[in-house]
Amino acid sequence: MKRSMIQRLFLFGFFLSMFFYSGAQDMEVTITNIRNDKGVLMIGLFNSKETFTKKIFKGENPKASRGDVKVVFKNIPPGDYAVSVFHDENSNGKIDTNFIGIPKEGFGFSNDAMGAFGPPSFEKAGVVVPTTKSVVMKLKYF
């Protein structure tokens, strides 16, 4: 049986798309419990435990809005990631702390992970792409 030209083009397109498919996907991050609309949110996506909280793989800095804010990280390749956020209420580009190092501004990590004295481990905050398509994080204020 002869295949029609349309069937051949469809098959060619299908196999070509499978060849170039990278597995990259978008990840939606929702930040909840934002106490006011002052400043911005500093959201970082990290792709290794060695660079976690030090070198951002991708970042977003949306304006703060009381309640919830959503951002989307586009074209994230498959792998292990962790997300951190802080509410930079005074827009100075850093998380402000008191004299003993406790944050004065809201902060959070994926999986709502917490560390004992500092940030949680990459593993505790870890999410896996493509399994994880969305992350919800609740800001904590002291």
Side-chain angles (χ1 to χ4, degrees):
M1 252 182 167
K2 275 186 156 183
R3 291 190 177 162
S4 72
M5 183 60 125
I6 293 174
Q7 286 175 321
R8 287 182 190 166
L9 286 173
F10 174 79
L11 287 173
F12 177 76
F14 174 77
F15 288 117
L16 190 62
S17 68
M18 294 305 289
F19 178 77
F20 286 108
Y21 175 69
S22 68
Q25 73 174 36
D26 295 347
M27 181 192 307
E28 181 180 85
V29 176
T30 304
I31 311 301
T32 66
N33 197 43
I34 303 166
R35 71 176 169 193
N36 60 50
D37 60 0
K38 296 178 183 173
V40 297
L41 299 175
M42 305 290 278
I43 307 169
L45 179 66
F46 299 86
N47 62 354
S48 80
K49 89 178 189 181
E50 292 77 28
T51 61
F52 183 47
T53 72
K54 296 173 188 78
K55 184 179 177 199
I56 294 173
F57 171 66
K58 287 192 176 198
E60 294 286 338
N61 302 324
K63 178 156 178 25
S65 179
R66 184 181 187 97
D68 301 349
V69 168
K70 290 183 183 186
V71 298
V72 177
F73 288 106
K74 300 276 190 188
N75 299 315
I76 307 302
D80 296 329
Y81 296 89
V83 184
S84 75
V85 61
F86 74 90
H87 182 182
D88 188 8
E89 292 180 89
N90 59 4
S91 298
N92 67 352
K94 62 181 184 170
I95 189 162
D96 296 324
T97 59
N98 65 17
F99 69 98
I100 58 173
I102 296 173
K104 292 188 206 175
E105 298 174 306
F107 66 94
F109 299 92
S110 41
N111 300 327
D112 284 331
M114 291 287 287
F117 295 99
S121 68
F122 182 77
E123 292 77 16
K124 281 177 106 175
V127 296
V128 178
V129 171
T131 307
T132 304
K133 293 180 177 24
S134 66
V135 172
V136 178
M137 301 165 50
K138 183 177 181 179
L139 283 183
K140 294 149 194 80
Y141 294 88
F142 291 122

